[in-house]
Amino acid sequence: MMTSEPDLTESYVWIWLPKGTAPVVAGKLEQEGDTLVFAYGRSYLERPDAISIYQPELPLRPGTLPLLNGLSLANCIRDAAPDAWGRRVIINRLMGGGWNTEVTSDLSELTYLMVSGSDRIGALDFQASPTTYVARQSPGTTLEQLLNSAERVEKGMPLSAELDQALLHGSSIGGARPKALIDDGEDKYIAKFSANSDTYSVVKAEFIAMRLAKICGINVAPVKLVEAANKDVLLIKRFDRERSGTGWCRTAIVSALTLLELDEMMARYASYEKFAEIIRRRFTAPKNTLRELYARLVFNILCGNTDDHARNHAAFWDGNSLSLTPAYDICPQGRTGGEATQAMSISGNNRFSQLRVCLDSAHHFHLSEDDAKTLISQQKSTIETHWQALCHEAKLNQVDRQLLWHRQFLNPYAFEGMDVQ
């Protein structure tokens, strides 16, 4: 049975300002019918160091701010909410393991914001009080305990109070696969676990893809592969946290979905072409950033990552400017045949996972055809050169190597219509 939770109608939004190690209250979210509306607090607007949560959507001005494009919640705030996995953890907590979608569909977005852990992606958190900040976090927990907790959630089994708190700590991070947050004192990581439904080593495949992307010259989050309870765990170093002498600084982040002014229901309209246009107009170092995004697009196709949706791209926001975050969630997806499509369209409505489509769209990224061909050839050659060594480093078995090679990695479909050396 669901535990007793108050009917939530408001929440105070706290923010870590640039280089700050303690949050300040920025404003209040209030339920208005089917929408959540936001207004900055007067004391926050009077601060000389105040920054907007995200200027195009929530500019620094008094009064209740209108929502864009009929959204039910400002996207830059929705970016801080839990996604599929985090919501499963929260539902498990509230329902004690015996939950179903009909009952849980009544949970409000405000509930998810207020019940999820405080160490969420970006620089926001949500509190019941405008004056007292109380972090929702767990005591130190081992990877083995977190792994056990994730497995119980997958099976719909209730958690003990200790494990409930441990996994809840990571409930605010995005994505659909089992994961948790860990802190070794010096660095913070997202720990990604295998899922019960995996038919091959997805964790190792993502490790190999992330490492190959870095060797290809792409700016990616550092990763480590470790074992816990005889299972593989991928540790991804967080790039939205920086250790300071007095604590941790948090860096504000907005997703590409927010940049494109789309919500989940409109995500199918997200495209690399439109993303590139925003970079040209509003990012720092647009030329280098466009080339970086193009390199990520090409690599996604070469490694079989078709889950490149707009929440898997993001930008740092410092109150004045945008810059691309390191790449993350480069995970080859299961594939049975040849033809495949990317989650975001590449040019126009074309989203086919083919290099010729990338080549045709190179001008959107201010790249010449020759430059694009060189980038594609270099990535292909790098993958071929380092594949076996990284498989050996990851201790990937021969069956999974054969499953991934030329199916996810360098699938022949990607090269149709192309002459790539």
Side-chain angles (χ1 to χ4, degrees), residues 5 22 52 127 129 134 210 213 309 347 349 368 385 394 415:
E5 291 286 330
S52 63
Q127 298 279 311
S129 169
V134 181
M210 291 283 282
H309 56 79
S347 181
N349 294 321
S368 68
T385 299
F415 300 96

Side-chain angles (χ1 to χ4, degrees), residues 82-102:
D83 279 343
W85 172 252
R87 290 172 191 244
R88 285 186 67 179
V89 174
I90 291 168
I91 290 168
N92 183 285
R93 180 193 186 199
L94 298 182
M95 299 298 296
W99 49 274
N100 62 68
T101 54
E102 290 183 4

Side-chain angles (χ1 to χ4, degrees), residues 260 271-283 290 293 364-365:
L260 293 164
S271 74
Y272 283 96
E273 179 182 351
K274 294 176 182 176
F275 193 9
E277 180 183 339
I278 292 171
I279 289 172
R280 290 195 299 271
R281 290 189 289 109
R282 297 176 45 214
F283 274 58
L290 286 168
L293 182 61
H364 294 304
F365 301 84

Side-chain angles (χ1 to χ4, degrees), residues 13-18 23-24 51 80 120-125 240-241 250-253 317:
V13 180
W14 290 63
I15 187 171
W16 276 255
L17 293 171
V24 299
I51 67 169
R120 63 189 74 245
I121 299 299
L124 300 181
D125 195 23
D240 61 337
R241 298 291 186 267
R250 303 191 181 193
T251 306
I253 287 176
W317 167 250

Side-chain angles (χ1 to χ4, degrees), residues 192 201-215 220-226 232-236 299 329-332 386-387 389-396 404 409:
K192 300 180 79 169
S201 183
V202 175
V203 167
K204 288 182 176 180
E206 183 170 357
F207 169 79
I208 292 169
M210 291 283 282
R211 289 290 305 278
L212 281 171
K214 181 175 178 60
I215 297 170
V220 299
V223 294
K224 295 194 296 188
L225 193 62
V226 300
D232 298 308
V233 180
L234 180 67
L235 300 183
I236 305 171
F299 187 81
D329 275 353
I330 304 178
C331 185
H386 295 276
W387 166 255
L390 282 172
C391 286
H392 181 72
E393 181 182 342
K395 298 179 182 178
L396 188 69
L404 292 169
F409 291 87

Side-chain angles (χ1 to χ4, degrees), residues 294-308:
Y294 189 79
R296 296 182 189 189
L297 165 60
V298 170
F299 187 81
N300 282 335
I301 290 175
L302 290 176
C303 80
N305 176 32
T306 54
D307 191 36
D308 55 341

Side-chain angles (χ1 to χ4, degrees), residues 139-187:
T141 310
T142 66
L143 274 175
E144 287 79 4
Q145 289 174 312
L146 291 169
L147 191 61
N148 177 262
S149 301
E151 289 179 346
R152 292 180 71 87
V153 169
E154 279 199 287
K155 295 174 182 176
M157 299 169 63
L159 300 177
S160 67
E162 290 181 353
L163 294 182
D164 174 80
Q165 282 301 110
L167 207 58
L168 186 68
H169 177 49
S171 61
S172 54
I173 53 180
R177 293 185 58 79
K179 59 178 66 68
L181 297 176
I182 65 169
D183 183 345
D184 68 1
E186 294 298 322
D187 294 303

Side-chain angles (χ1 to χ4, degrees), residues 44-65:
Y44 184 74
L45 290 173
E46 291 173 350
R47 293 181 65 102
D49 58 349
I51 67 169
S52 63
I53 295 176
Y54 177 54
Q55 184 65 26
E57 196 169 26
L58 296 179
L60 281 174
R61 63 173 186 242
T64 299
L65 299 172

